[in-house]
Amino acid sequence: MLRSPFIILLLLLNQQANGFVPAPRRKNIPSLLSESKSILDNILDKATSNNESTDKLLMDPLADMTTDADDAPSSWSYAEFAQTYPNVNNIGIATIKTASADLLAQVAIAHTPVSDIDWERAFLFCAFGAVYLGAFQYWYQVNIFKKVFDVDKFTSQSWGDKLKDT
């Protein structure tokens, strides 16, 4: 039984994030039949031409296939995700941070045994972190502060100018 709010939250975020995560770049793959035929032809050619490489080829039939650097699958990048979906990223950070702080308070400060953790309280902190700290404060700070302060001017300055502009 899933009792941990972290596990529940991660499952919910994973389901929600699947709709937000950009699709991985995929190479243009020919139909499965023609690709399978070319792989089998390649294996048969290798098997009939060189017996030493046949053993290696039979152990890993895709070992001799080469791919272009552009066709290589891209790995997931947190920085790219945070830039593409800043609101979702902020909600996740705030939720995990707030729930972790509550669990730390219960276990380390109140000396509550792990078996006696108040999961309802922990889940309420998760919800508070997601809704207020993650969603509302992100919206407020981004939209209102841009109107009150000249954020673009400040962020485009060099570090030396930022330190002088206090």
Side-chain angles (χ1 to χ4, degrees):
M1 183 166 119
L2 297 175
R3 295 185 61 198
S4 171
F6 289 121
I7 295 172
I8 294 169
L9 177 65
L10 289 175
L11 290 173
L12 289 174
L13 286 177
N14 187 31
Q15 286 180 335
Q16 294 297 322
N18 283 340
F20 298 110
V21 176
R25 287 177 258 160
R26 297 182 182 164
K27 64 179 185 175
N28 216 351
I29 300 175
S31 71
L32 183 61
L33 183 60
S34 64
E35 186 176 67
S36 299
K37 185 177 184 296
S38 66
I39 291 172
L40 288 174
D41 288 342
N42 190 14
I43 291 172
L44 289 174
D45 289 343
K46 292 285 184 174
T48 57
S49 65
N50 188 351
N51 288 337
E52 184 179 310
S53 66
T54 304
D55 294 334
K56 184 189 290 185
L57 188 61
L58 292 175
M59 295 301 285
D60 187 10
L62 303 177
D64 67 330
M65 297 183 69
T66 58
T67 59
D68 295 336
D70 293 338
D71 292 340
S74 63
S75 62
W76 186 80
S77 167
Y78 172 74
E80 185 178 319
F81 174 79
Q83 289 174 353
T84 308
Y85 306 104
N87 197 11
V88 173
N89 180 57
N90 196 55
I91 290 171
I93 290 172
T95 303
I96 291 169
K97 178 186 73 166
T98 309
S100 299
D102 177 58
L103 289 175
L104 179 69
Q106 287 189 51
V107 174
I109 297 172
H111 301 290
T112 304
V114 176
S115 61
D116 294 336
I117 289 177
D118 185 356
W119 292 110
E120 185 176 334
R121 171 186 153 168
F123 182 72
L124 288 173
F125 271 91
C126 281
F128 175 75
V131 174
Y132 180 71
L133 298 176
F136 174 73
Q137 281 196 352
Y138 178 81
W139 170 84
Y140 179 79
Q141 290 175 6
V142 169
N143 294 321
I144 303 300
F145 285 6
K146 276 187 180 178
K147 293 177 182 174
V148 174
F149 304 107
D150 191 6
V151 175
D152 294 329
K153 177 185 172 195
F154 183 77
T155 56
S156 64
Q157 293 177 347
S158 67
W159 280 103
D161 292 339
K162 286 179 185 178
L163 294 173
K164 292 176 188 173
D165 186 14
T166 55

